């Protein structure tokens, strides 16, 4: 997978692999004819026992070639900011959970340099409340809509299934897909915190 290939994608599927001790995710392109998974674009693994939350994304599951990563600025914090960097450590953007706005409906804020704030919020407030206050319903699927200046930027939809699977639709062609992929993975890895 090349960065150019990733940047042309309008739809992605992010699927969690079931592993006992580590979170792993596959990021796939979408076959336009079937709407199903096509080639793997990236593979993510959450670092084990890290002092700060950290996830590295690679070009594939051999984990030979890093593509990007995100890492918390501080030790686990309810409003932590996560820096997203490229393979050389250069900033791509950042995201953070808006703690106050997330009390009843999770809200995330992303920033892409030179682009402005992108705000993502769970679409259905009732599902959000049920997932928070009834532990046995934490598996309910959810839908996040991310907007910039009132217009759609991208969306992430968690689907029903044994494995966590997310459909990502990118509406704004100027968005850096690496930042979108990092946020989609973070929604699974960090959402319940």
């Amino acid at each position: 997978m090349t960065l150019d290939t990733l940047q042309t994608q309008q739809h992605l599927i992010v699927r969690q692999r079931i592993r006992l001790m580590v979170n792993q995710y596959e990021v796939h392109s979408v076959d336009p004819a079937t709407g199903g998974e096509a080639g793997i674009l990236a593979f993510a693994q959450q670092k084990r026992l890290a002092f700060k939350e950290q996830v590295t994304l690679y070009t594939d599951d051999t984990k030979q070639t890093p593509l990007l990563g995100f890492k918390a600025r501080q030790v686990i914090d309810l409003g932590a900011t996560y820096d997203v960097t490229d393979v050389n450590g250069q900033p791509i953007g950042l995201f953070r959970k808006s703690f106050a706005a997330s009390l009843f409906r999770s809200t995330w804020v992303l920033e892409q340099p030179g682009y402005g704030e992108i705000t993502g919020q769970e679409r259905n407030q009732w599902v959000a409340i049920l997932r928070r206050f009834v532990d046995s319903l934490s598996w309910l699927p959810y839908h996040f809509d991310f907007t910039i200046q009132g217009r759609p930027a991208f969306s992430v939809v968690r689907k029903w299934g044994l494995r966590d699977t997310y459909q990502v639709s990118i509406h704004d062609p100027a968005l850096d897909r690496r930042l979108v992929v990092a946020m989609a993975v973070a929604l699974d890895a960090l959402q319940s915190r």
Side-chain angles (χ1 to χ4, degrees):
M1 194 280 309
T2 66
L3 183 56
D4 291 337
T5 302
L6 178 61
Q7 297 293 45
T8 63
Q9 303 300 307
Q10 292 179 311
H11 300 282
L12 303 167
I13 295 173
V14 178
R15 183 179 307 280
Q16 183 180 30
R17 286 186 176 179
I18 298 174
R19 298 290 184 261
L20 197 54
M21 299 298 292
V22 64
N23 285 333
Q24 293 182 336
Y25 304 89
E26 298 170 351
V27 180
H28 294 267
S29 58
V30 174
D31 182 332
T34 66
E37 292 177 8
I40 191 165
L41 297 170
F43 175 80
Q45 181 167 307
Q46 189 172 19
K47 190 170 183 177
R48 296 178 197 208
L49 305 171
F51 187 59
K52 296 180 184 180
E53 289 293 338
Q54 181 176 345
V55 175
T56 303
L57 285 94
Y58 302 89
T59 56
D60 60 33
D61 61 2
T62 65
K63 299 187 283 185
Q64 297 298 309
T65 309
L67 181 62
L68 67 123
F70 62 87
K71 184 177 182 178
R73 287 184 181 171
Q74 25 329 17
V75 177
I76 297 177
D77 176 7
L78 295 175
T81 297
Y82 296 83
D83 292 304
V84 183
T85 57
D86 68 13
V87 66
N88 299 314
Q90 296 302 308
I92 295 170
L94 60 87
F95 60 85
R96 66 184 174 281
K97 192 167 190 176
S98 177
F99 180 71
S102 293
L103 289 176
F104 293 106
R105 186 165 30 178
S106 290
T107 303
W108 292 84
V109 177
L110 287 83
E111 294 180 21
Q112 179 175 312
Y115 201 68
E117 277 193 358
I118 303 161
T119 303
Q121 190 171 57
E122 285 181 273
R123 179 182 283 180
N124 188 319
Q125 185 170 359
W126 296 111
V127 169
I129 290 170
L130 284 171
R131 284 181 40 257
R132 271 172 195 61
F133 297 111
V134 181
D135 284 339
S136 63
L137 296 177
S138 63
W139 54 268
L140 283 172
Y142 51 75
H143 184 136
F144 274 85
D145 292 312
F146 290 82
T147 60
I148 182 165
Q149 299 172 352
R151 67 181 193 279
F154 69 99
S155 62
V156 179
V157 179
R158 180 180 177 192
K159 303 308 259 179
W160 295 91
L162 292 176
R163 294 190 300 171
D164 290 341
T165 302
Y166 301 85
Q167 291 183 334
V168 181
S169 298
I170 303 159
H171 312 292
D172 189 324
L175 279 176
D176 190 321
R177 298 329 192 242
R178 297 171 297 176
L179 186 59
V180 172
V181 168
M183 185 74 252
V185 169
L187 283 175
D188 186 87
L190 307 172
Q191 178 59 22
S192 62
R193 298 188 183 160

